[in-house]
Amino acid sequence: MAFEPKEPQKELKYNELRIYSDEELNNYTEEELKNFKIKHDIPMLEDLEKGPWPSFVADAKREALRRRKLPDDRMMIHREVVEDMLGQLELSFEHGETHWKHGGIVGVFGYGGGVIGRYSDLPEKFPSIAHFHTMRVNQPASKFYHTDYLRTLCDLWEFRGSGMMNFHGSTGDIIFLGTFTEQLEPIFFELGHVLQQDLGGSGSNLRSPSCCLGKARCEWACIDTQDMCYELTHHYQDELHRPQFPYKFKFKFDGCPNGCVASIARADMSFIGTWRDEIRIDQEAVQAYIGGEITPNGGAHRGRDWGKFDI
Ligand code: HEM
Ligand code: HEM
Ligand code: SF4
């Protein structure tokens, strides 16, 4: 059965919705980045840039530099939010304790979840992270996105938030990291009314359900994970947005026991597709595989020197 969304779907066009020009999005050179110093000394964090793996410090510096170079009226919260976040983290390393306080409840009208209040306990020293609220953006089934949508989302968050985000949190949602209280309603309006995008769950409510690729791309799918995820997300809207449990509650959907979304580890209630017939083995194909007529992975890894095994 073909998938039928429950409401008409808008087609979003980045060129109509974009906030920044290409020049603004690419407003620094790699040379400038090399010479760039943020306003705080962060020797311990800079240590985390070493090594072969990606570093959130290196990423954050790029974002800090972009914000340095954007004109004042192109950002609705402080320009230095990324720099202050790094500065405060360095200080937390130095003091061996966090400088975030967990104070009060913030949110958007009508919802009890989706926004998580964050405040710095050193607002005089780090004014641009005096508020640093997190927003959850509900991921679509199997996390299929159109780039028009992603770019629009990035522009919105650059404009009204810190520009820092996390793809994705363990719940599965996109996490918007750090904004001020006054920006919450405008962002919520833009998401809901323009981008046709809901917030996800937080606190003691039903968390955003999430599912594997399922039938959309995977030959192992025994159940339609996307259909279940979509159906239950809609059915439990009230529970998703208005905390009414004593603790959070999660559903996750794996199409087969390979468990690509780790539903057992991540959910209170895991749905896992299982095969309900006799096990079927195509012995002829197995023989062809052994004999080399059928190549492993459709030949995808064939004919290249992969070098010495090295992890
Ligand atoms: C740059 C800073 C931060 C990053 C990168 C970050 C990242 C994340 C991520 C990825 C999640 C998981 C979301 C999910 O399950 O889908 C999360 C949840 C959470 N974070 Fe943070 N966070 C940051 C700042 C903070 C601060 C300052 C606090 C506390 C003062 C905090 C406390 C929490 C809590 C309590 C949750 C669980 C919330 C819930 O499930 O209701 N985080 N954070
Ligand atoms: C004796 C001290 C503590 C004990 C025994 C304790 C125990 C626990 C337990 C059992 C959980 C639930 C774990 C789960 O979901 O499986 C939890 C969650 C949590 N604890 Fe603690 N905790 C302690 C202190 C603290 C402190 C000092 C903080 C923060 C400053 C903290 C912050 C949290 C947070 C943010 C969560 C997750 C809540 C959520 O997002 O659902 N805990 N703690
Ligand atoms: S859990 Fe199973 S069905 Fe889902 S993507 Fe992974 S292998 Fe495919």
Side-chain angles (χ1 to χ4, degrees), residues 112-143:
V115 182
I116 302 147
R118 307 271 178 260
Y119 300 90
S120 168
D121 71 5
L122 300 167
E124 289 83 24
K125 195 169 167 55
F126 303 108
S128 55
I129 54 166
H131 303 191
F132 194 77
H133 310 321
T134 308
M135 297 182 88
R136 302 264 162 101
V137 180
N138 198 342
Q139 90 260 226
S142 312
K143 306 192 177 80

Side-chain angles (χ1 to χ4, degrees), residues 26-56:
N26 300 291
N27 65 358
Y28 63 87
T29 63
E30 294 300 307
E31 202 49 40
E32 285 175 275
L33 182 68
K34 243 184 262 158
N35 302 321
F36 174 56
K37 296 249 359 126
I38 71 157
K39 70 176 196 180
H40 306 288
D41 277 335
I42 50 165
M44 280 187 271
L45 283 181
E46 275 164 353
D47 226 34
L48 300 177
E49 288 185 274
K50 295 184 189 140
W53 36 80
S55 161
F56 74 93

